Amino acid sequence: MPERTPVPGGSPAAPAGRADGRPVYVIGGGPGGLAAAAALKEKGVRAVVLEKSGSVGASWRHHYDRLHLHTTRRWSALPGLAMPRRFGRWVSRDDMVRYLEKYAGHHELEVVTGVEVSRIDRSGDGTGWQLHATGGRVLSGRAVVVATGFNHTPKVPSWPGRDGFTGELVHAAGYRNPAPYAGKDVLVVGIGNTGAEIAVDLVEGGASRVRIAVRTTPHIVRRSTAGWPAQATAVLVRRLPVRLVDLAGRLLGRVSVPDLAGHGLPRPGTGLYSRVKEGAIPVQDVGLISAVRSGRVAPVAAVESFDGDTVVLADGTGITPDAVIAATGYERALEGLVGHLGVLDARGRPVVHGARTPHGAPDLYFTGFTNPISGMLREIALDARRIATRVARAV
């Protein structure tokens, strides 16, 4: 993979035929950044990817071992390179890393590793952007694509008594496999896709007891039904009225997912698509339903506080697990980078994404900061082409 270092304090020389020699800087060497860079290059626009770690796909390299995509291989590929059939329908973490490495090399992308951008400011002359980066660099780009990732910074709630907990407490970002938890009593906090899959992994890996703390009951869907992937349905319905999709989801859920109320997981009171619009993606079943029905994973109330070796739950129950794994999500951590530009909403997420740019911030693009029902990688690929088209038109 080619690695080129930008000129400190400036930008590389202009390619032939370009009136403006400044490149487009892409911040982040994950799927969103690589896709945007490849789409820009296809349009004849020079893009330089700045990645703070030592390699592309850094976050993927640190996901838990058993992770497979919940989206199909076909709809998870990035622009200009299909995923090999040998990866199977549901691509593993390791194959995803291999694909990202091959993608950067296949497109001969300019990827600079070990460079972290800490702040983006408008250029003094009002055209383009200045990036403040590692080593005191100030880089000048005519446009910037921010692709630092949806799962950037692990978030652990500040539960009362948390720091005094005498058991083991780790965020899901630090979980790799169940081996260290064999024979242990483990509480998983959070029942999103990550928490659900880790709970199943722990059961299959020999944990003596696994409980999962639930604040809001999720919608659970089958990853595929009779060979038809849930993602295909999501793509078909994503632009339909929310109420219609909620109704269809309720009917399908009653047919395909057993009632788990007797096991501590009642059916949600709000519609599936209504929850998606609020940011809650359905849990795709990779063994959770069976594990809950058999009692191998026991849902419990949400965590309220810690007291020494005890975890106090919302229903007043106290339990004493050996370890707590917090699958409590991530923060985007964009405030220091662009918070001063007025381009973030109250939750710290970009107010726009894809080919749209925020008011007052032309040529500043964001990709990979939504979690759509139709699949993040699919939307990243679509965003990349839209961004590239928009940037190329401005040349």
Side-chain angles (χ1 to χ4, degrees):
M1 179 185 2
E3 296 183 1
R4 301 184 179 93
T5 303
V7 177
S11 58
R18 294 286 183 202
D20 185 346
R22 295 175 297 174
V24 174
Y25 281 110
V26 180
I27 306 175
L34 298 180
L40 286 163
K41 184 175 182 181
E42 184 181 40
K43 292 288 187 181
V45 177
R46 185 181 182 193
V48 177
V49 179
L50 303 177
E51 167 56 45
K52 69 176 182 179
S53 74
S55 58
V56 299
S59 64
W60 286 89
R61 298 172 190 273
H62 296 99
H63 287 313
Y64 49 93
D65 295 348
R66 73 172 277 159
L67 176 67
H68 283 68
L69 298 182
H70 291 164
T71 53
T72 66
R73 180 188 73 250
R74 175 188 173 190
W75 281 336
S76 299
L78 305 179
L81 183 66
M83 288 186 172
R85 291 179 63 86
R86 68 177 182 277
F87 284 3
R89 193 178 206 187
W90 313 107
V91 179
S92 71
R93 178 204 64 184
D94 290 347
D95 281 338
M96 186 65 189
V97 171
R98 293 185 186 101
Y99 174 73
L100 295 176
E101 290 175 340
K102 182 178 180 181
Y103 190 84
H106 174 80
H107 289 289
E108 298 184 338
L109 301 181
E110 291 189 60
V111 179
V112 184
T113 58
V115 175
E116 181 174 8
V117 179
S118 58
R119 182 182 172 97
I120 301 172
D121 286 309
R122 195 69 176 148
S123 297
D125 62 1
T127 65
W129 296 92
Q130 285 189 334
L131 290 71
H132 302 267
T134 305
R137 293 182 178 91
V138 180
L139 310 174
S140 180
R142 61 189 182 88
V144 174
V145 180
V146 180
T148 50
F150 191 84
N151 296 336
H152 186 276
T153 303
K155 179 175 62 177
V156 179
S158 54
W159 292 297
R162 182 190 72 180
D163 295 340
F165 179 54
T166 57
E168 178 186 355
L169 172 61
V170 298
H171 188 272
Y175 177 86
R176 295 292 172 271
N177 58 63
Y181 303 96
K184 293 186 177 181
D185 182 338
V186 186
L187 173 66
V188 178
V189 183
I191 194 169
N193 278 294
T194 296
E197 190 158 2
I198 287 177
V200 172
D201 199 30
L202 288 164
V203 166
E204 296 176 353
S208 64
R209 185 176 191 178
V210 178
R211 286 171 283 201
I212 188 163
V214 181
R215 184 169 298 278
T216 304
T217 305
H219 285 273
I220 303 174
V221 299
R222 301 288 188 180
R223 187 164 64 175
S224 66
T225 303
W228 179 262
Q231 184 187 11
T233 301
V235 170
L236 291 175
V237 306
R238 72 193 190 284
R239 300 195 186 283
L240 294 178
V242 171
R243 267 196 263 180
L244 179 61
V245 180
D246 281 349
L247 175 60
R250 186 178 304 114
L251 295 175
L252 181 61
R254 292 188 179 279
V255 171
S256 62
V257 177
D259 185 1
L260 299 174
H263 302 278
L265 279 183
R267 296 189 188 277
T270 53
L272 184 152
Y273 206 25
S274 293
R275 293 281 294 278
V276 169
K277 292 296 186 181
E278 296 171 357
I281 295 298
V283 171
Q284 292 203 17
D285 177 45
V286 290
L288 180 67
I289 293 174
S290 174
V292 169
R293 292 183 78 183
S294 66
R296 294 178 299 157
V297 172
V300 296
V303 171
E304 286 294 303
S305 63
F306 289 78
D307 183 10
D309 65 347
T310 302
V311 180
V312 182
L313 305 179
D315 61 3
T317 304
I319 60 175
T320 55
D322 300 311
V324 175
I325 299 173
T328 45
Y330 295 79
E331 295 176 344
R332 311 296 86 80
L334 290 170
E335 287 79 6
L337 188 69
V338 296
H340 57 289
L341 298 174
V343 298
L344 304 178
D345 65 16
R347 295 187 297 173
R349 302 184 184 187
V351 293
V352 296
H353 68 278
R356 298 171 61 197
T357 57
H359 178 72
D363 303 316
L364 178 63
Y365 302 89
F366 295 89
T367 184
F369 294 99
T370 60
N371 198 9
I373 192 173
S374 51
M376 182 181 290
L377 291 169
R378 179 180 181 274
E379 296 304 317
I380 279 173
L382 295 172
D383 274 355
R385 295 197 184 280
R386 294 169 183 147
I387 290 170
T389 298
R390 177 78 177 271
V391 173
R393 285 175 181 168
V395 174

